[in-house]
Amino acid sequence: QVDLVESGGGTVQSGGSLRLSCRMPENLFRENSMGWFRAPPGAVGELAREGVAAIKTDGTITLRDSVKGRFAIVQDAEEHTLYLQMNDLKPEDTAVYYCVVAHHLRVMPGGGHAEVAPIYWGQGVQVTVSL
């Protein structure tokens, strides 16, 4: 198995901030695109996960429209760790967030996505935004 370890989830009030992290083996970090998907309440299974943010091996970043200006995807190469900085959180951001690593990864404006195998997933962390 491939070990992607997520942390940083929690509960915040509307307008608050959280930072998610995903630490992975160094070889995966070097060789792959990576990003964050989320499963809203009631969504079950990998097919229901929506794209949030992705960064390609060349540094190109794609974000869904609903998080532009609020979320940022950041990499730390020395620690082979991926981050999602989430600011101005809204109740509609409530979801389980998954780190994802793939040969190719791209997020579309409406949360759709394109990816090329092999694909690896973190365990998921809960983010809850209250009113």
Side-chain angles (χ1 to χ4, degrees), residues 39-60:
V44 179
E46 294 180 9
L47 295 178
R49 297 172 186 175
E50 303 172 356
V52 178
I55 183 165
K56 295 171 62 178
T57 54
D58 67 358
T60 302

Side-chain angles (χ1 to χ4, degrees), residues 34-127:
M34 59 196 69
W36 297 91
F37 286 12
R38 68 189 184 189
V44 179
E46 294 180 9
L47 295 178
R49 297 172 186 175
E50 303 172 356
V52 178
I55 183 165
K56 295 171 62 178
T57 54
D58 67 358
T60 302
I61 293 171
T62 53
L63 300 166
R64 66 180 298 166
D65 283 347
S66 63
V67 307
K68 289 179 178 177
R70 301 190 297 121
F71 291 12
I73 185 168
V74 182
Q75 294 175 303
D76 184 334
E78 291 187 356
E79 298 296 325
H80 34 95
T81 298
L82 177 71
Y83 298 97
L84 183 67
Q85 178 65 49
M86 303 184 292
N87 299 321
D88 192 23
L89 282 160
K90 303 176 180 181
E92 52 263 42
D93 296 317
T94 294
V96 177
Y97 283 71
Y98 296 88
C99 177
V100 59
V101 175
H103 178 69
H104 173 76
L105 190 64
R106 181 180 180 185
V107 173
M108 310 303 179
H113 47 87
E115 56 277 335
V116 176
I119 301 169
Y120 308 100
W121 296 96
Q123 81 277 11
V125 293
Q126 178 69 48
V127 171

